[in-house]
């Protein structure tokens, strides 16, 4: 998986004149710590869970990235996600490197108190690694603001003082930022709006959303409020479609009590088999679930004009090539879903200033950042005649290279 991700680095490097030191530094994670967490279950037994924190690269600042709780997490997945965070923070010009954490667990099988003990155990294990100037976690797949609150609280009791800037995505009452909850989707939404004309998208366009968690639900609401029609949605229970547009309130209600698939069979809503959500006829396809959802076997069946990657790594490199040949434009993850970490940065800034911004300021700054970097990447893709993904990597890599080279390069030391 990391090897696949690194092909994008190699490809970007071809467009830049880089010192060999740069690639040598970015090819490997700086450090990955793996710990077995042992927690007490409600029935009195003890159970252990594998947990990781990877700090991939910290040249541009403290490492930044979420913690996911997922039954399929592996060393390699955490390192790949941390690699993507390194590039994402550079794309947005945030003063951060990239990191990521995970616990191999299905959190739905835990009670609330078990989940709290697991979250606190994670911080006990990694308290020496994280810190407001070292490594700053945040939410990711199956983690949320409540978990970030427990984690911030645990960190404060270990170091003996309130340290809100050690973690972002916290509840507002514990120093979270307004606008962090929907920031991932909102960043993608601002990007789509800004590039809509160039992409041939317009309100009234049909949208299919794969994954109906935080990012999926918020993008549905934002796009619908702009006049887009949500024609298909999936979650872990399956997928549904309705060519005339799904009713959002019903979708949210179904999700609150289970799966969106409970809507199938009435009001013109039909169930879709397997991963057919990917091939639904629509203008905009939004993968908002996990990695590798659009791959060599199903990429040819994509019928969308544009793909907005709100998940991390939803399109494999093989699928990228197939989509490019078909003329499908992919708004790449390291730009498209960077709204989350951008508002995390705003949260960290507010924590350090002890001064909190109104939500309008958060939105305005996020919009400016998405439009600025989106425009730069669009122009770079035109200039180099590449995909937006390659352009985003070139854009990030040139910033990373500047920082790495500023420490002195091979040329400097050899002469
Ligand atoms: N987990 C999110 C991501 O993959 C947010 C990371 C953060 O806010 O630090 O971008």
């Amino acid at each position: 998986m990391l090897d696949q991700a690194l092909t994008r680095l190699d490809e970007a490097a071809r467009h830049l004149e880089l010192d060999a030191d740069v690639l040598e530094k970015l090819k490997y994670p700086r450090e990955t710590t793996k710990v077995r967490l042992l927690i007490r279950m409600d029935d009195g037994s003890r159970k252990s869970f594998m947990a990781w924190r990877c700090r991939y690269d910290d040249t541009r600042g403290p490492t930044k990235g979420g913690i996911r709780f997922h039954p399929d997490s592996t060393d390699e997945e955490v390192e790949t996600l941390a690699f993507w965070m390194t590039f994402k923070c550079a794309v947005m010009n945030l003063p951060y490197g990239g990191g990521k954490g995970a616990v191999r667990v299905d959190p739905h099988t835990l009670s609330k108190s078990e989940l709290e003990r697991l979250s606190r155990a994670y911080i006990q294990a990694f308290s020496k690694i994280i810190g407001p100037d070292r490594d700053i976690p945040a939410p990711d797949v199956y983690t949320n603001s409540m978990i970030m609150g427990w984690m911030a609280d645990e960190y404060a009791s270990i170091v003996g003082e309130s340290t809100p800037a050690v973690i972002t995505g916290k509840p507002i009452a514990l120093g979270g930022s307004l606008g962090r909850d929907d920031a991932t989707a909102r960043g993608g939404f601002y990007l789509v709006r800004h590039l809509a004309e160039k992409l041939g998208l317009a309100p009234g366009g049909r949208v299919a959303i794969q994954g109906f968690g935080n990012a999926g639900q918020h993008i549905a609401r934002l796009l619908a409020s702009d006049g887009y029609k949500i024609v298909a949605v999936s979650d872990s229970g399956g997928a549904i479609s309705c060519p005339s547009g799904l009713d959002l309130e019903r979708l949210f209600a179904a999700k609150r009590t289970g799966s969106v698939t409970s809507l199938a069979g009435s009001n013109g809503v039909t169930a879709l088999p397997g991963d057919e959500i990917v091939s639904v006829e629509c203008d905009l396809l939004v993968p908002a679930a996990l990695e590798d959802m659009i791959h060599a076997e199903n990429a040819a069946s994509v019928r969308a004009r544009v793909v907005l990657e709100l998940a991390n790594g939803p399109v494999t490199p093989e699928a990228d090539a197939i989509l490019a040949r078909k003329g499908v434009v992919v708004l790449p993850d390291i730009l498209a879903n960077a709204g989350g970490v951008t508002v995390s940065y705003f949260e960290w800034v507010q924590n350090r200033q002890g001064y909190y911004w109104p939500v309008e300021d958060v939105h305005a700054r996020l919009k400016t950042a998405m439009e600025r970097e989106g425009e730069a990447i669009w122009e770079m893709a035109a200039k180099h005649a590449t995909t937006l993904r390659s352009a985003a990597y070139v854009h990030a890599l040139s910033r990373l290279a500047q920082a790495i080279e500023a420490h002195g390069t091979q040329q400097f030391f050899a002469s």
Side-chain angles (χ1 to χ4, degrees):
M1 202 178 161
L2 183 57
D3 287 345
Q4 278 213 339
L6 287 170
T7 59
R8 281 154 176 173
L9 169 60
D10 290 336
E11 138 93 48
R14 284 201 285 276
H15 295 279
L16 294 168
E17 272 183 36
L18 294 177
D19 193 276
D21 288 13
V22 173
L23 289 184
E24 187 60 20
K25 182 137 204 302
L26 293 174
K27 254 190 330 207
Y28 310 99
R30 180 198 155 110
E31 61 184 56
T32 307
T33 313
K34 186 172 172 175
V35 172
R36 205 165 253 292
L37 307 177
L38 194 60
I39 65 155
R40 178 81 60 201
M41 307 301 281
D42 291 346
D43 67 1
S45 66
R46 290 259 220 176
K47 206 163 167 189
S48 75
F49 300 88
M50 198 50 93
W52 297 262
R53 188 73 193 165
C54 170
R55 298 178 66 233
Y56 196 95
D57 183 78
D58 65 348
T59 315
R60 301 185 78 256
T63 45
K64 183 87 191 81
I67 302 171
R68 70 171 53 179
F69 285 180
H70 197 276
D72 300 329
S73 286
T74 61
D75 305 34
E76 232 203 317
E77 184 196 47
V78 176
E79 291 180 344
T80 306
L81 289 160
F83 168 86
W84 286 328
M85 285 309 302
T86 307
F87 280 78
K88 195 186 297 183
C89 292
V91 157
M92 299 309 291
N93 212 9
L94 308 178
Y96 292 139
K100 201 79 173 198
V103 179
R104 188 185 292 152
V105 62
D106 179 356
H108 305 108
T109 63
L110 301 182
S111 72
K112 270 235 171 98
S113 5
E114 288 166 346
L115 194 59
E116 178 179 359
R117 287 196 285 277
L118 184 67
S119 306
R120 291 184 182 277
Y122 186 93
I123 296 304
Q124 286 155 18
F126 293 104
S127 65
K128 294 273 185 313
I129 287 168
I130 64 172
D133 290 304
R134 201 165 193 284
D135 178 38
I136 308 138
D140 197 78
V141 173
Y142 294 159
T143 52
N144 55 25
S145 62
M146 183 188 282
I147 293 176
M148 298 305 114
W150 291 329
M151 289 182 164
D153 180 65
E154 188 64 28
Y155 187 82
S157 60
I158 292 169
V159 299
E161 55 189 43
S162 158
T163 318
V166 70
I167 202 156
T168 59
K170 299 178 295 293
I172 306 296
L174 294 178
S177 174
L178 294 172
R180 178 63 185 84
D181 51 351
D182 72 355
T184 304
R186 186 173 286 274
F189 171 67
Y190 288 147
L191 183 69
V192 165
R193 248 200 192 166
H194 183 68
L195 298 176
E197 208 170 302
K198 295 172 174 142
L199 294 167
L201 292 174
R206 297 152 305 166
V207 182
I209 303 173
Q210 181 191 44
F212 211 53
N214 175 295
Q217 292 184 41
H218 284 300
I219 197 74
R221 189 176 45 74
L222 289 164
L223 287 172
S225 71
D226 234 15
Y228 284 86
K229 228 167 32 180
I230 314 301
V231 295
V233 165
S234 74
D235 62 20
S236 53
I240 51 169
S241 81
C242 178
S244 60
L246 289 154
D247 181 319
L248 281 199
E249 291 320 312
R250 280 168 187 269
L251 269 178
F252 293 138
K255 191 66 200 165
R256 269 194 298 276
T257 52
S259 165
V260 293
T261 51
S262 64
L263 297 185
S266 58
N267 302 304
V269 180
T270 50
L272 286 176
D275 66 354
E276 252 177 49
I277 181 97
V278 162
S279 26
V280 163
E281 193 171 337
C282 61
D283 300 290
L284 180 65
L285 171 63
V286 187
L290 291 168
E291 302 92 77
D292 298 343
M293 293 291 162
I294 303 176
H295 44 74
E297 277 73 49
N298 65 7
S301 70
V302 169
R303 285 195 280 167
R305 178 198 297 258
V306 178
V307 176
L308 174 72
E309 293 188 326
L310 285 191
N312 288 311
V315 177
T316 67
E318 292 91 350
D320 254 344
I322 298 168
L323 295 178
R325 273 201 299 279
K326 282 169 62 89
V328 178
V329 179
V330 178
L331 300 171
D333 50 3
I334 56 171
L335 168 68
N337 72 30
V341 71
T342 302
V343 177
S344 274
Y345 166 58
F346 298 160
E347 180 172 332
W348 181 80
V349 168
Q350 292 172 76
N351 291 153
R352 308 202 92 177
Q353 290 181 327
Y355 177 73
Y356 289 83
W357 313 346
V359 73
E360 294 76 19
D361 288 16
V362 172
H363 289 170
R365 286 177 199 254
L366 173 62
K367 183 164 178 286
T368 303
M370 294 306 304
E371 294 182 353
R372 182 186 62 224
E373 305 306 333
E375 191 63 37
I377 288 168
W378 186 273
E379 279 167 20
M380 188 163 309
K383 182 171 140 207
H384 293 286
T386 61
T387 61
L388 292 172
R389 183 173 334 269
S390 295
Y393 273 88
V394 173
H395 188 54
L397 184 56
S398 63
R399 283 183 176 148
L400 280 156
Q402 272 175 31
I404 294 170
E405 287 170 4
H407 289 284
T409 63
Q410 195 183 1
Q411 254 174 350
F412 173 83
F413 289 106
S415 57

